[in-house]
Amino acid sequence: LPPILACLLRIPILGWTIGLTLFILLLPALILLFILYGILYIVCLPYRLIMMCCCPESYADMREKEMKEEQRMEEEEQYRRFSAV
């Protein structure tokens, strides 16, 4: 945090005021993100279900690629974390 903000946050009333103001300002963005996530989940769920039921081989390949990509991203994150130390 910038030194001036850290100094302001130490003042009890001002710290609560800043925190509450930021919460009120960011709450609409958070609500919109949850709504967008819900819409995308509802739109993508039938595709995954159809792939799982009608094309099990393609679905298995897709899941395998997703798992490999996730594992690769975890390894890169660990490499970044340990190289920063």
Side-chain angles (χ1 to χ4, degrees):
L1 290 174
I4 187 76
L5 184 58
C7 181
L8 289 175
L9 289 176
R10 286 191 193 115
I11 302 170
I13 301 297
L14 199 56
W16 279 100
T17 306
I18 292 172
L20 188 62
T21 303
L22 286 175
F23 179 75
I24 290 171
L25 290 175
L26 293 176
L27 190 62
L30 185 63
I31 291 171
L32 285 175
L33 285 175
F34 276 121
I35 291 172
L36 182 63
Y37 174 77
I39 290 171
L40 288 175
Y41 183 78
I42 290 170
V43 168
C44 293
L45 183 63
Y47 171 73
R48 293 182 79 75
L49 289 175
I50 290 171
M51 286 290 290
M52 187 171 50
C53 295
C54 299
C55 307
E57 299 87 17
S58 298
Y59 181 75
D61 291 341
M62 182 177 68
R63 289 291 297 150
E64 184 178 331
K65 286 178 185 176
E66 288 174 355
M67 289 174 25
K68 284 182 181 178
E69 180 67 24
E70 184 178 325
Q71 184 180 13
R72 187 184 63 80
M73 289 176 59
E74 287 176 3
E75 289 172 355
E76 286 179 3
E77 181 63 30
Q78 284 183 354
Y79 176 74
R80 268 191 242 121
R81 199 177 309 139
F82 289 125
S83 66
V85 173

